[in-house]
Amino acid sequence: MTEAIRSGGCQCGAVRFRIRGQLGRPSICHCRMCQKQFGNFFSALVTAPDDGLEWTRGEPTYFQSSVNIDRGFCKNCGTPLTYRHPGGLEIAIGAFDERDDLAPQIQVNYASRLPWVDTIFEQPVHQDPDFYARQEQIISFQHPDHDTDVWPAEGLKI
């Protein structure tokens, strides 16, 4: 049996990681600190195995958000990457290259959720084909969802 290996990183590619081993339980956290860290309604995180994380390009910069918790992010592009606490390290699910099988299994700090978060996916879906055609014309400087030997691409400055 082969060992599970996963990779991921920030939006600009300055910070990349590789994880070997079994990930913990994926979760959503509704606490206010996670809302602020991610600039979103909640955070989606999964626990990294104790000795299975390797930073393959750069490393996160950390902000201590409370007495025993700090949060890692890319200092170049601001992508939230980690939540480090006394029990271990959690990685942002959105930072993984492959994340289809990382659906959250539990919600924590549920009492702190925004009151409308339970109904956001009941809203209408934008179906304008011209909108999507215009989106395809955008030239993205985002790192691709796989490891690269060299980044940024030639000509881009971080």
Side-chain angles (χ1 to χ4, degrees):
M1 181 174 233
T2 60
E3 183 179 39
I5 299 175
R6 293 187 178 258
S7 62
C10 68
Q11 188 172 20
C12 75
V15 179
R16 295 284 299 164
F17 62 83
R18 183 177 302 121
I19 295 179
R20 297 177 193 283
Q22 185 67 33
L23 295 172
R25 179 185 64 204
S27 65
I28 288 174
C29 181
H30 293 279
C31 82
R32 185 63 181 131
M33 281 193 275
C34 280
Q35 290 172 1
K36 289 186 78 107
Q37 179 191 14
F38 283 78
N40 214 322
F41 318 134
F42 48 74
S43 68
L45 300 158
V46 64
T47 307
D50 283 341
D51 294 316
L53 174 65
E54 170 190 6
W55 297 106
T56 58
R57 183 181 303 134
E59 288 189 16
T61 297
Y62 286 91
F63 168 72
Q64 187 170 359
S65 61
S66 64
V67 172
N68 57 358
I69 294 176
D70 55 17
R71 295 158 185 277
F73 60 95
C74 173
K75 68 180 178 182
N76 291 4
C77 68
T79 300
L81 294 166
T82 67
Y83 167 75
R84 192 165 55 184
H85 53 89
L89 181 74
E90 299 189 42
I91 306 289
I93 291 173
F96 283 84
D97 294 335
E98 301 290 331
R99 56 213 166 276
D100 289 351
D101 62 336
L102 296 177
Q105 298 172 4
I106 191 168
Q107 298 179 66
V108 297
N109 295 304
Y110 189 70
S112 298
R113 77 190 182 288
L114 293 167
W116 44 261
V117 80
D118 295 332
T119 61
I120 57 176
F121 295 107
E122 296 171 7
Q123 303 311 311
V125 175
H126 188 70
Q127 296 287 358
D128 176 7
D130 291 335
F131 173 81
Y132 296 106
R134 288 189 303 276
Q135 293 298 100
E136 291 172 3
Q137 295 173 6
I138 294 173
I139 299 171
S140 174
F141 299 132
Q142 181 168 292
H143 190 276
D145 284 336
H146 57 80
D147 287 325
T148 58
D149 290 333
V150 177
W151 192 262
E154 188 174 328
L156 297 180
K157 304 246 189 266
I158 293 183

